[in-house]
Amino acid sequence: MSGFKRVTLADVASRVGVSAITISRALRTPEKVSPQLREEIARAIDELGYVPDRAARALASSRTDVIGVLIPSVTNNVFSEVLLGIYTAVENTPFDIQLGNTRYSSLKEEDLLKVFLSQKPAGLIVTGIDQSETSRALLKNAACPVVQIMEIDEDPIDLMIGFSHYEGARTATAHLIEQGYRRPGFAGARMDPRSQRRFRGFRDVATEAGLYAEERVITTTAASSVTLGAQLFAELIERAPDLDCVFCNNDDLALGVLFEAQRRRIAVPGQLGICGFNDLEMMAAAEPPITSIRTFRHDMGRRAVELLVDAIAQGRPRSGAVVDLGFELRKRSSTRSR
Amino acid sequence: MSGFKRVTLADVASRVGVSAITISRALRTPEKVSPQLREEIARAIDELGYVPDRAARALASSRTDVIGVLIPSVTNNVFSEVLLGIYTAVENTPFDIQLGNTRYSSLKEEDLLKVFLSQKPAGLIVTGIDQSETSRALLKNAACPVVQIMEIDEDPIDLMIGFSHYEGARTATAHLIEQGYRRPGFAGARMDPRSQRRFRGFRDVATEAGLYAEERVITTTAASSVTLGAQLFAELIERAPDLDCVFCNNDDLALGVLFEAQRRRIAVPGQLGICGFNDLEMMAAAEPPITSIRTFRHDMGRRAVELLVDAIAQGRPRSGAVVDLGFELRKRSSTRSR
DNA sequence: TTGTAGGCGTTATCAG
DNA sequence: CTGATAACGCCTACAA
């Protein structure tokens, strides 16, 4: 099996009795090859088990079928669901995914970008809107379409699909206040740009309602986790015992807050309201079920690829289209104070 | 920026005043180039911003720097942690990861394998030991080292790193019985080969203790989730109300069981013991903390890459080495019946 | 230690 | 609609 010489276009060509370029065309632009020849070629390819050589194609055409994807984390559930959407969407296309893990570092993002770019990708998917100056310039000048995911704003590099973290946080906070909570707190981990925008949403709404208090805010740059949620809440409640609800940066933290509240015999939602962000699957299953802001991560991945594939097909770089996927408040028992 | 002609080896060569092959050598086998020339070349590369063309390299050498990774799921936390280990380890090497999502289908795995193989990867990482006949043959004959991860057995294709799911389940079940539980149940989702081996571990130990009862076993091929854990437990407890503990296929289910038990006012661990599998971070943070079998997923990914890189470096395919990473029982409050 | 010649498998370009 | 020829950028072999 191995050791056998690779089957090439030329092999298929001589089998059919035409020249290599015709086989190539039959593969990429079938409409330019006569139907019967096309069929013969298909048969020959099957019989010989011909598989195109991507490297040769890339070298000759100075293009690839690779879509580069840059995300800040491969373990965070939020991104893995986006990834799933991406992989799903890509399955019915000729494209491959090349994944890069930026680890929330824009320097690392820049490096990866350069590597990716040197491979002449067919398209790029990057996370967020906080690229470094250099990265932004590289992306602006890239010879392929670019999609920014996870957020929206007015100044897309090219395509963009996401939602407003600020508005999501505003909605969550408004809900807590509407439910009758009067001493709202905030727990945040990681505090990457998206987390910060969520914090601002919280702060603004709480301030507008005259209910903002800095001692009810706790944040850390550590990676978010359930354990961390429990720890942050423990600190927070000692520092601000009058706290009556917490808006969490994300669902891991929210779950940790719930567990720690249970440990301390603090009744949820009676004595403490809890609201998360992203609405991971487990939020609905918890006891009590936890209120959260639902975001459409699978869709985001899927549609990012669709946007990209369309743009590639139309050879239309820099369209400036922004797709707002929105979010949904999922009200659950964890925030029913009355 | 774009539109500029690509900087090639030849450009660097004429800049330095040597021939292209010397630059190539300076890059790949520096010891074969005189030190001062090496330095000059390094400078020229920097100044010109030369980036090697991977496609050209692959075509000319019929090798790539790509390590193909085949996993059954990108969303399952278990695999995303393995992935993190893989990406971490690969960072200090010249290799790139090409990820394939088999979705627990050996047919899909076979297809992906063929695609990967056609790209002449430097190495391959595949999940588990239940490849199809065809896949196994392809892997046996592959012109690169292969690592099987997640499991161990006597008949590796090449390298192998993982642990025994059967023994893990045996340990968990023995622990439940040791804690005094006498009517052990099993909840399983997905039921892929690894889940099935875990089930067998449970069944064997329970049977040996004379405590096995089929009505206390519930399984489904649906993907595991916290919600599903709650549902399975609800069904199970109605069908077998005498059940006094549950060994769960994995931690998602275990958490769902805990929540459902709370909803039904079933005391954990007093009336019900719960044990998970994998020991995801949240197990320790839950209230009560949930007993689980800790597995070393990050390490597994990291060391799989190391094994591969060594094998590639030594040009030694088919070594047959099997690394057993083991597992650890993490006893927590969810299984303290006395 | 360095260089020369040739080719890897495909596609672009220009003819017919 | 089909074909001949020349790249694409690098590496293997063999020489010097």
Side-chain angles (χ1 to χ4, degrees):
Chain A
M1 203 112 185
S2 72
F4 278 39
K5 211 178 156 320
R6 184 183 184 103
V7 179
T8 72
L9 272 188
D11 299 329
V12 182
S14 69
R15 179 87 146 76
V16 179
V18 295
S19 77
I21 186 67
T22 303
I23 312 295
S24 171
R25 278 200 274 256
L27 252 30
R28 290 176 313 106
T29 49
E31 67 278 10
K32 290 187 176 173
V33 173
S34 75
Q36 39 175 340
L37 195 51
R38 222 184 296 165
E39 239 182 72
E40 265 188 85
I41 291 176
R43 208 172 316 124
I45 286 179
D46 238 44
E47 288 168 10
L48 267 53
Y50 166 73
V51 181
D53 184 314
R54 314 171 63 88
R57 171 178 300 190
L59 182 58
S61 66
S62 62
R63 282 181 289 101
T64 64
D65 287 344
V66 171
I67 292 177
V69 177
L70 255 26
I71 55 173
S73 161
V74 288
T75 40
N76 186 328
N77 272 310
V78 170
F79 295 110
S80 54
E81 285 180 30
V82 175
L83 258 193
L84 180 61
I86 290 176
Y87 274 92
T88 305
V90 130
E91 246 166 46
N92 310 305
T93 74
F95 298 102
D96 270 352
I97 295 301
Q98 175 90 28
L99 190 61
N101 183 181
T102 69
R103 299 168 173 244
Y104 294 95
S105 149
S106 46
L107 230 80
K108 189 144 189 53
E109 182 176 50
E110 209 174 295
D111 287 348
L112 282 167
L113 205 51
K114 286 175 189 161
V115 174
F116 277 27
L117 247 16
S118 82
Q119 299 180 52
K120 305 161 195 150
L124 285 170
I125 296 178
V126 300
T127 301
I129 56 181
D130 300 278
Q131 285 76 26
S132 72
E133 279 301 313
T134 311
S135 293
R136 230 187 130 79
L138 287 171
L139 287 167
K140 280 263 183 204
N141 292 314
C144 66
V146 175
V147 187
Q148 289 167 286
I149 59 170
M150 291 304 292
E151 301 198 54
I152 51 168
D153 80 346
E154 278 95 71
D155 190 22
I157 292 172
D158 181 8
L159 279 356
M160 184 177 262
I161 182 165
F163 62 93
S164 167
H165 293 249
Y166 177 80
E167 290 300 334
R170 284 194 64 104
T171 299
T173 311
H175 165 71
L176 287 169
I177 293 173
E178 199 182 284
Q179 290 297 304
Y181 296 107
R182 284 297 169 264
R183 292 176 300 279
F186 178 90
R190 180 65 74 182
M191 297 316 280
D192 59 308
R194 281 169 295 287
S195 300
Q196 290 176 29
R197 282 186 262 281
R198 301 209 271 262
F199 168 65
R200 272 181 236 131
F202 165 82
R203 189 200 52 197
D204 288 358
V205 169
T207 304
E208 287 159 21
L211 301 175
Y212 182 76
E214 209 165 295
E215 84 252 22
R216 288 196 298 264
V217 172
I218 189 165
T219 62
T220 165
T221 54
S224 117
S225 70
V226 180
T227 306
L228 186 61
Q231 289 166 356
L232 290 181
F233 178 66
E235 266 191 61
L236 196 56
I237 195 73
E238 317 240 313
R239 184 207 296 169
D242 66 338
L243 178 87
D244 68 359
C245 69
V246 194
F247 170 48
C248 298
N249 199 26
N250 66 39
D251 290 339
D252 290 335
L253 296 184
L255 190 58
V257 170
L258 174 62
F259 286 139
E260 187 59 27
Q262 290 177 178
R263 256 187 286 282
R264 291 166 181 257
R265 304 279 179 270
I266 297 174
V268 175
Q271 294 171 264
L272 181 78
I274 303 177
C275 178
F277 199 100
N278 276 320
D279 198 32
L280 296 186
E281 173 265 329
M282 59 188 179
M283 291 295 102
E287 171 54 27
I290 303 175
T291 297
S292 194
I293 297 289
R294 176 137 191 70
T295 59
F296 305 97
R297 304 175 292 282
H298 190 275
D299 268 10
M300 188 154 31
R302 193 174 52 70
R303 294 193 52 193
V305 171
E306 289 172 3
L307 287 172
L308 214 45
V309 170
D310 285 353
I312 294 167
Q314 298 174 27
R316 151 178 63 67
R318 307 302 95 100
S319 91
V322 176
V323 180
D324 184 355
L325 245 31
F327 54 82
E328 273 172 25
L329 172 66
R330 291 290 164 94
K331 305 183 195 180
R332 301 205 180 91
S333 321
S334 73
T335 53
R336 302 253 160 78
S337 81
R338 346 168 178 179
Chain B
M1 202 113 186
S2 70
F4 279 39
K5 212 180 156 315
R6 182 179 189 105
V7 179
T8 71
L9 272 190
D11 298 329
V12 182
S14 68
R15 180 85 146 77
V16 179
V18 296
S19 78
I21 186 65
T22 304
I23 312 295
S24 171
R25 278 200 273 255
L27 251 31
R28 288 176 310 108
T29 48
E31 68 278 9
K32 291 188 175 174
V33 173
S34 74
Q36 39 175 336
L37 195 51
R38 223 184 295 165
E39 239 181 71
E40 268 189 81
I41 292 177
R43 208 171 315 123
I45 286 179
D46 238 42
E47 288 167 11
L48 267 54
Y50 167 74
V51 181
D53 183 316
R54 315 172 64 90
R57 172 180 299 192
L59 183 58
S61 66
S62 62
R63 283 183 289 99
T64 64
D65 287 345
V66 171
I67 292 178
V69 177
L70 255 24
I71 56 172
S73 161
V74 287
T75 40
N76 186 328
N77 272 310
V78 171
F79 295 110
S80 53
E81 286 179 29
V82 176
L83 259 192
L84 179 61
I86 290 176
Y87 274 93
T88 306
V90 130
E91 245 165 48
N92 311 306
T93 74
F95 298 103
D96 269 352
I97 296 301
Q98 174 90 28
L99 190 62
N101 182 182
T102 69
R103 298 166 175 246
Y104 294 95
S105 149
S106 46
L107 229 79
K108 189 142 191 53
E109 181 177 48
E110 208 173 296
D111 287 348
L112 282 167
L113 205 51
K114 287 176 190 162
V115 174
F116 278 26
L117 247 15
S118 81
Q119 299 179 53
K120 305 159 194 151
L124 284 170
I125 296 178
V126 300
T127 302
I129 56 180
D130 300 279
Q131 285 76 25
S132 72
E133 280 300 314
T134 311
S135 292
R136 230 187 129 79
L138 287 172
L139 288 167
K140 280 264 183 204
N141 292 314
C144 66
V146 175
V147 187
Q148 290 167 285
I149 60 169
M150 293 303 293
E151 301 199 54
I152 51 166
D153 80 346
E154 278 94 72
D155 189 22
I157 293 172
D158 181 6
L159 279 357
M160 184 176 262
I161 183 165
F163 62 93
S164 167
H165 292 250
Y166 177 81
E167 291 301 333
R170 284 194 64 104
T171 300
T173 311
H175 166 70
L176 287 169
I177 293 173
E178 200 181 286
Q179 289 298 305
Y181 295 107
R182 283 299 168 264
R183 291 175 301 278
F186 178 91
R190 179 65 73 183
M191 297 315 281
D192 60 308
R194 281 169 296 287
S195 299
Q196 289 177 28
R197 282 187 263 281
R198 302 209 271 262
F199 169 65
R200 270 181 236 130
F202 166 82
R203 189 198 54 197
D204 289 358
V205 169
T207 303
E208 286 158 20
L211 301 175
Y212 181 76
E214 208 165 297
E215 84 253 20
R216 290 197 297 265
V217 172
I218 189 165
T219 63
T220 164
T221 54
S224 117
S225 69
V226 180
T227 306
L228 186 62
Q231 288 167 356
L232 290 180
F233 178 66
E235 266 191 60
L236 195 57
I237 195 72
E238 315 241 311
R239 185 207 293 169
D242 67 338
L243 178 86
D244 68 359
C245 69
V246 194
F247 171 47
C248 298
N249 201 26
N250 65 40
D251 291 339
D252 291 334
L253 295 184
L255 190 57
V257 170
L258 173 62
F259 286 140
E260 187 61 25
Q262 290 178 178
R263 255 186 284 281
R264 290 166 181 257
R265 306 275 179 273
I266 297 173
V268 175
Q271 293 171 265
L272 182 77
I274 303 177
C275 178
F277 200 98
N278 277 320
D279 199 31
L280 296 186
E281 172 266 328
M282 60 188 178
M283 291 295 101
E287 171 54 28
I290 303 175
T291 296
S292 194
I293 297 289
R294 176 136 190 71
T295 58
F296 305 96
R297 303 175 292 282
H298 190 276
D299 268 10
M300 187 151 37
R302 193 175 49 72
R303 296 194 50 192
V305 170
E306 289 171 4
L307 286 172
L308 214 45
V309 170
D310 286 352
I312 294 167
Q314 298 173 27
R316 150 178 66 69
R318 305 304 93 100
S319 89
V322 176
V323 180
D324 184 355
L325 245 30
F327 54 83
E328 273 172 25
L329 173 65
R330 291 292 162 93
K331 305 183 194 180
R332 300 205 180 90
S333 320
S334 73
T335 54
R336 301 255 160 78
S337 82
R338 351 167 177 178

